[in-house]
Amino acid sequence: MPLLLILVFIIAIAAFAISAICGGGASFVLLPLLGIMLPGAQVPAALSIGTAANSISRIGIFWKHIRWDIVVYFLPPALPAVYFGSKLLTIIDPIWLELFFGFFLIINLPMIFKSKNIRTNKGQTLNSKIIIPIIGLFTGLVSGLTGAVGLLFNRFYLSYGLTKEQIVATRAANELLLHIIKLILYLLFGLLTYESVSIGLVISISAIIASFVMKKFLYLLSENTFRTIGFSVMVLAGVVMMVNTGFRLHNEQQIKFSKIDDGLETKLKWNHRSFLLEFKYNDGFEIERPVALSDLPLHLQQKVAPLSKNADKIFFEEVYAFGDHYYEVYLYHGEKLTKYNFK
């Protein structure tokens, strides 16, 4: 464990230093490593401790660059959304969210080539009363779920007409109160353990060091270079997240690919339930999920009952296909399998 903490310290310094240049992303760099060291539900708690310290240090360094006109619209919807995100964390497995977020980041690829055409407009206020609260709402929700939101909503900051210093300062001001509320909620939900707090404190020290190291370097970058780096890191982080999450899902048997006689089959686990996604050469895509006899419509239960009297084993699947919905019944008599389809 001490060696892992040293590794976290070194990687966190590099991650937060890079995030100062590209406008975020430190948390997403740390997610895979923390996923190895902590249970999934405790990872956001450790990240929030570190990112809170990072926000405090950046607010202190870039105080005069904070756009308070954005902060006042951002925070009101973001704060209650954090609660719902943190609550959902006890229900939803964060690994599936990481897969979705990875895809969301990758679709920013075209913005790398458009970033040079984005003009900085410090006075931009068009639709701010609508757009900023919506961004705040989703930021709070996602922040409560994962503890990491910097890169996900970086496109908003990069495209809204802020200077690079304003992006760093304003986002830190927006997120600090969210991190504090999250930590309180994580404590109430029992997610702040000795291990998560210890790792969070190590990340905090790294974040503060990185903020001071990168202060002068940030002023040397041009606005266009800052935006190009920001979008590039978003896409790169998305690729890394999707690849890493894919391996984790496969290794944890939450997603498994296999070949069947007439096509391909993918097995997924979600919230302790299994789903099968099948592609059959003749029939196309189908989604299947195991069900109990009691889940079948009453008229099908009456049909199945006589068939299953002498069966050694029986199980049922609900099937959704393009333009179709039916149930499959599998009956085993010794080694012999009999399959029925019912609508």
Side-chain angles (χ1 to χ4, degrees):
M1 190 68 172
L3 289 176
L4 285 176
L5 287 177
I6 294 174
L7 183 62
V8 169
F9 177 75
I10 295 173
I11 292 179
I13 289 179
F16 281 109
I18 294 172
S19 75
I21 301 174
C22 64
S27 298
F28 286 108
V29 173
L30 293 170
L31 273 174
L33 179 59
L34 297 187
I36 298 173
M37 302 175 65
L38 293 169
Q42 294 181 24
V43 170
L47 278 175
S48 293
I49 295 173
T51 49
N54 180 59
S55 294
I56 292 172
S57 62
R58 290 184 180 181
I59 288 174
I61 294 172
F62 297 101
W63 175 267
K64 65 180 181 179
H65 296 286
I66 297 175
R67 282 281 298 271
W68 294 107
D69 58 319
I70 293 179
V71 176
V72 295
Y73 285 115
F74 180 95
L75 283 180
L79 297 181
V82 171
Y83 170 80
F84 293 106
S86 302
K87 192 67 175 176
L88 285 173
L89 188 60
T90 62
I91 303 172
I92 299 176
D93 190 339
I95 194 170
W96 291 102
L97 293 171
E98 290 179 35
L99 189 67
F100 170 77
F101 294 155
F103 173 76
F104 181 82
L105 290 170
I106 289 175
I107 63 176
N108 286 282
L109 180 61
M111 296 303 297
I112 296 176
F113 308 101
K114 294 180 180 179
S115 60
K116 293 182 180 180
N117 298 322
I118 297 175
R119 297 181 179 179
T120 300
N121 181 3
K122 296 181 182 180
Q124 183 173 346
T125 58
L126 181 63
N127 293 327
S128 62
K129 293 183 179 180
I130 300 175
I131 296 175
I132 297 176
I134 293 174
I135 296 296
L137 176 68
F138 282 102
T139 299
L141 184 65
V142 176
S143 184
L145 276 167
T146 68
V149 295
L151 282 182
L152 282 179
F153 299 101
N154 207 28
R155 180 170 178 169
F156 160 72
Y157 291 102
L158 291 171
S159 304
Y160 195 76
L162 305 181
T163 66
K164 56 186 184 296
E165 293 84 9
Q166 287 175 336
I167 290 175
V168 173
T170 305
R171 192 179 54 218
N174 281 340
E175 296 175 4
L176 177 58
L177 191 53
L178 296 184
H179 294 317
I180 294 174
I181 292 176
K182 283 189 299 181
L183 289 175
I184 295 173
L185 293 173
Y186 292 152
L187 177 63
L188 295 176
F189 296 150
L191 299 176
L192 278 179
T193 63
Y194 173 80
E195 290 78 11
S196 63
V197 171
S198 299
I199 294 174
L201 291 176
V202 171
I203 297 173
S204 298
I205 297 172
S206 300
I208 295 171
I209 293 174
S211 294
F212 283 96
V213 169
M214 299 309 298
K215 176 183 178 181
K216 292 184 178 179
F217 188 81
L218 184 63
Y219 287 114
L220 300 177
L221 292 177
S222 68
E223 297 294 339
N224 285 334
T225 300
F226 180 82
R227 285 172 171 75
T228 301
I229 293 174
F231 285 117
S232 299
V233 172
M234 289 174 73
V235 174
L236 178 61
V239 172
V240 172
M241 285 184 69
M242 290 199 71
V243 172
N244 176 70
T245 306
F247 278 114
R248 285 172 59 194
L249 286 169
H250 179 72
N251 293 335
E252 295 173 12
Q253 298 296 306
Q254 295 197 59
I255 182 169
K256 187 177 181 180
F257 301 95
S258 58
K259 192 176 185 306
I260 55 179
D261 293 337
D262 54 349
L264 301 172
E265 180 181 85
T266 302
K267 184 177 182 180
L268 306 174
K269 287 185 179 179
W270 175 271
N271 201 21
H272 306 294
R273 293 186 178 182
S274 295
F275 296 86
L276 291 176
L277 175 62
E278 288 187 353
F279 173 73
K280 296 182 178 180
Y281 302 127
N282 296 326
D283 302 325
F285 285 100
E286 293 181 347
I287 297 177
E288 303 176 353
R289 70 182 186 97
V291 295
L293 176 61
S294 58
D295 294 324
L296 271 62
L298 184 59
H299 72 281
L300 293 186
Q301 294 183 35
Q302 294 171 349
K303 286 184 179 181
V304 171
L307 297 174
S308 60
K309 284 183 178 179
N310 299 320
D312 298 317
K313 185 168 61 173
I314 181 171
F315 67 93
F316 313 91
E317 287 183 344
E318 185 175 12
V319 182
Y320 295 89
F322 184 74
D324 202 2
H325 175 219
Y326 59 94
Y327 295 86
E328 293 180 343
V329 180
Y330 297 84
L331 298 172
Y332 284 89
H333 297 84
E335 297 295 325
K336 183 181 178 182
L337 168 63
T338 305
K339 178 182 174 183
Y340 297 92
N341 291 347
F342 295 105
K343 290 189 177 182

PDB file of all heavy atoms in Angstrom, residues 235-246:
ATOM      1  N   VAL A 235     -10.447  14.019 -25.816  1.00  0.00           N
ATOM      2  CA  VAL A 235     -10.571  12.850 -26.694  1.00  0.00           C
ATOM      3  C   VAL A 235      -9.654  11.721 -26.221  1.00  0.00           C
ATOM      4  O   VAL A 235     -10.060  10.554 -26.161  1.00  0.00           O
ATOM      5  CB  VAL A 235     -10.247  13.237 -28.153  1.00  0.00           C
ATOM      6  CG1 VAL A 235     -10.236  11.998 -29.045  1.00  0.00           C
ATOM      7  CG2 VAL A 235     -11.259  14.256 -28.666  1.00  0.00           C
ATOM      8  N   LEU A 236      -8.416  12.070 -25.882  1.00  0.00           N
ATOM      9  CA  LEU A 236      -7.462  11.060 -25.417  1.00  0.00           C
ATOM     10  C   LEU A 236      -7.965  10.381 -24.152  1.00  0.00           C
ATOM     11  O   LEU A 236      -7.902   9.146 -24.009  1.00  0.00           O
ATOM     12  CB  LEU A 236      -6.090  11.704 -25.163  1.00  0.00           C
ATOM     13  CG  LEU A 236      -5.000  10.764 -24.630  1.00  0.00           C
ATOM     14  CD1 LEU A 236      -4.733   9.639 -25.617  1.00  0.00           C
ATOM     15  CD2 LEU A 236      -3.712  11.552 -24.352  1.00  0.00           C
ATOM     16  N   ALA A 237      -8.491  11.181 -23.218  1.00  0.00           N
ATOM     17  CA  ALA A 237      -9.024  10.618 -21.974  1.00  0.00           C
ATOM     18  C   ALA A 237     -10.209   9.695 -22.262  1.00  0.00           C
ATOM     19  O   ALA A 237     -10.375   8.653 -21.618  1.00  0.00           O
ATOM     20  CB  ALA A 237      -9.451  11.741 -21.027  1.00  0.00           C
ATOM     21  N   GLY A 238     -11.031  10.072 -23.249  1.00  0.00           N
ATOM     22  CA  GLY A 238     -12.162   9.223 -23.613  1.00  0.00           C
ATOM     23  C   GLY A 238     -11.721   7.873 -24.128  1.00  0.00           C
ATOM     24  O   GLY A 238     -12.294   6.836 -23.773  1.00  0.00           O
ATOM     25  N   VAL A 239     -10.691   7.865 -24.984  1.00  0.00           N
ATOM     26  CA  VAL A 239     -10.168   6.599 -25.516  1.00  0.00           C
ATOM     27  C   VAL A 239      -9.628   5.731 -24.392  1.00  0.00           C
ATOM     28  O   VAL A 239      -9.917   4.524 -24.307  1.00  0.00           O
ATOM     29  CB  VAL A 239      -9.065   6.870 -26.569  1.00  0.00           C
ATOM     30  CG1 VAL A 239      -8.388   5.563 -26.982  1.00  0.00           C
ATOM     31  CG2 VAL A 239      -9.649   7.578 -27.785  1.00  0.00           C
ATOM     32  N   VAL A 240      -8.832   6.342 -23.511  1.00  0.00           N
ATOM     33  CA  VAL A 240      -8.244   5.589 -22.391  1.00  0.00           C
ATOM     34  C   VAL A 240      -9.335   5.029 -21.485  1.00  0.00           C
ATOM     35  O   VAL A 240      -9.270   3.872 -21.051  1.00  0.00           O
ATOM     36  CB  VAL A 240      -7.289   6.495 -21.579  1.00  0.00           C
ATOM     37  CG1 VAL A 240      -6.830   5.785 -20.308  1.00  0.00           C
ATOM     38  CG2 VAL A 240      -6.087   6.888 -22.422  1.00  0.00           C
ATOM     39  N   MET A 241     -10.351   5.843 -21.193  1.00  0.00           N
ATOM     40  CA  MET A 241     -11.436   5.392 -20.319  1.00  0.00           C
ATOM     41  C   MET A 241     -12.204   4.220 -20.919  1.00  0.00           C
ATOM     42  O   MET A 241     -12.517   3.245 -20.233  1.00  0.00           O
ATOM     43  CB  MET A 241     -12.401   6.545 -20.032  1.00  0.00           C
ATOM     44  CG  MET A 241     -11.888   7.565 -19.052  1.00  0.00           C
ATOM     45  SD  MET A 241     -13.141   8.814 -18.680  1.00  0.00           S
ATOM     46  CE  MET A 241     -14.312   7.825 -17.759  1.00  0.00           C
ATOM     47  N   MET A 242     -12.496   4.304 -22.218  1.00  0.00           N
ATOM     48  CA  MET A 242     -13.265   3.234 -22.846  1.00  0.00           C
ATOM     49  C   MET A 242     -12.469   1.934 -22.904  1.00  0.00           C
ATOM     50  O   MET A 242     -12.996   0.851 -22.647  1.00  0.00           O
ATOM     51  CB  MET A 242     -13.707   3.651 -24.252  1.00  0.00           C
ATOM     52  CG  MET A 242     -14.768   4.732 -24.254  1.00  0.00           C
ATOM     53  SD  MET A 242     -15.670   4.855 -25.817  1.00  0.00           S
ATOM     54  CE  MET A 242     -16.653   3.359 -25.764  1.00  0.00           C
ATOM     55  N   VAL A 243     -11.182   2.034 -23.224  1.00  0.00           N
ATOM     56  CA  VAL A 243     -10.346   0.833 -23.273  1.00  0.00           C
ATOM     57  C   VAL A 243     -10.193   0.231 -21.889  1.00  0.00           C
ATOM     58  O   VAL A 243     -10.369  -0.983 -21.686  1.00  0.00           O
ATOM     59  CB  VAL A 243      -8.958   1.175 -23.866  1.00  0.00           C
ATOM     60  CG1 VAL A 243      -8.018  -0.026 -23.737  1.00  0.00           C
ATOM     61  CG2 VAL A 243      -9.086   1.582 -25.325  1.00  0.00           C
ATOM     62  N   ASN A 244      -9.877   1.082 -20.904  1.00  0.00           N
ATOM     63  CA  ASN A 244      -9.692   0.592 -19.542  1.00  0.00           C
ATOM     64  C   ASN A 244     -10.975  -0.017 -18.982  1.00  0.00           C
ATOM     65  O   ASN A 244     -10.958  -1.095 -18.372  1.00  0.00           O
ATOM     66  CB  ASN A 244      -9.235   1.747 -18.643  1.00  0.00           C
ATOM     67  CG  ASN A 244      -9.113   1.338 -17.188  1.00  0.00           C
ATOM     68  OD1 ASN A 244      -8.226   0.582 -16.812  1.00  0.00           O
ATOM     69  ND2 ASN A 244     -10.003   1.848 -16.356  1.00  0.00           N
ATOM     70  N   THR A 245     -12.100   0.668 -19.209  1.00  0.00           N
ATOM     71  CA  THR A 245     -13.384   0.173 -18.702  1.00  0.00           C
ATOM     72  C   THR A 245     -13.780  -1.121 -19.392  1.00  0.00           C
ATOM     73  O   THR A 245     -14.329  -2.027 -18.766  1.00  0.00           O
ATOM     74  CB  THR A 245     -14.481   1.230 -18.908  1.00  0.00           C
ATOM     75  OG1 THR A 245     -14.068   2.460 -18.317  1.00  0.00           O
ATOM     76  CG2 THR A 245     -15.776   0.786 -18.268  1.00  0.00           C
ATOM     77  N   GLY A 246     -13.484  -1.214 -20.686  1.00  0.00           N
ATOM     78  CA  GLY A 246     -13.794  -2.441 -21.417  1.00  0.00           C
ATOM     79  C   GLY A 246     -13.071  -3.640 -20.839  1.00  0.00           C
ATOM     80  O   GLY A 246     -13.662  -4.714 -20.648  1.00  0.00           O
TER      81      GLY A 246
END
